[in-house]
Amino acid sequence: TFRTQAGFGAYTEGWGLYAEYLATEIPGSYDDPYSDFGRLGNEILRAIRLVVDTGLHAKGWTEEEAVQYFMANSAAPESQVRSEVQRYLVLPGQVGMLKILELRARAKTELGADFDIRGFHDTVLGGGALPLVILERRIDDWIAAQKAG
């Protein structure tokens, strides 16, 4: 119960983005490219955020360097860009969706026809918001349990 109340940004943001991505796998969700346009535009902004987030927290970029990168790669107005960059400064960790997709691919590869998307989702959500390294361990344990039968 204690763990389910914690807030790990990479997990919570990652699950939200992953859930949004799942709609692309549901037939009829996006009937044509125009209906998917908004989601794709947001995905581009998230790709920019990944670069900016990494630049700020791993490469030592200044806030201004992050703003300049964002401005050069999006059509967002400067006021929005500055607000977003300031948010990233205090809330790092937009890599959660990529980790969840990586773990799902691993589970599908290892389990083949026995892969159960519902079981995978129950396992991802069942521990609450976890650090990604703990989530990975949880999924690895689930894969092993599925293999054991």
Side-chain angles (χ1 to χ4, degrees):
T1 301
F2 173 76
R3 276 196 335 231
T4 63
Q5 304 307 308
F8 294 94
Y11 177 95
T12 54
E13 295 263 355
W15 177 260
L17 300 176
Y18 174 78
E20 181 182 290
Y21 168 83
L22 282 176
T24 66
E25 298 178 342
I26 299 171
S29 293
Y30 299 110
D31 295 328
D32 56 57
Y34 298 107
S35 61
D36 196 19
F37 184 74
R39 187 192 65 79
L40 290 171
N42 285 330
E43 203 163 294
I44 289 169
L45 287 176
R46 284 191 295 274
I48 292 169
R49 179 173 186 187
L50 283 170
V51 173
V52 169
D53 197 338
T54 303
L56 289 167
H57 299 287
K59 302 288 185 184
W61 285 8
T62 66
E63 180 179 347
E64 193 57 35
E65 286 173 312
V67 166
Q68 292 309 312
Y69 178 87
F70 203 129
M71 295 285 296
N73 291 285
S74 79
E78 185 173 353
S79 60
Q80 178 188 346
V81 167
R82 289 194 179 279
S83 176
E84 290 292 314
V85 168
Q86 288 172 355
R87 178 174 166 240
Y88 309 160
L89 277 166
V90 297
L91 292 172
Q94 281 295 285
V95 296
M97 181 181 99
L98 298 176
K99 178 54 87 173
I100 293 169
L101 287 170
E102 172 194 317
L103 294 172
R104 184 174 116 172
R106 180 187 312 163
K108 286 175 90 172
T109 298
E110 291 194 32
L111 297 174
D114 292 330
F115 175 74
D116 175 22
I117 191 76
R118 292 171 295 185
F120 174 80
H121 289 156
D122 286 347
T123 304
V124 170
L125 294 170
L130 302 170
L132 296 182
V133 67
I134 304 292
L135 176 62
E136 184 169 10
R137 190 177 318 143
R138 185 174 168 84
I139 293 298
D140 287 343
D141 290 347
W142 176 75
I143 292 169
Q146 298 307 299
K147 286 181 172 181

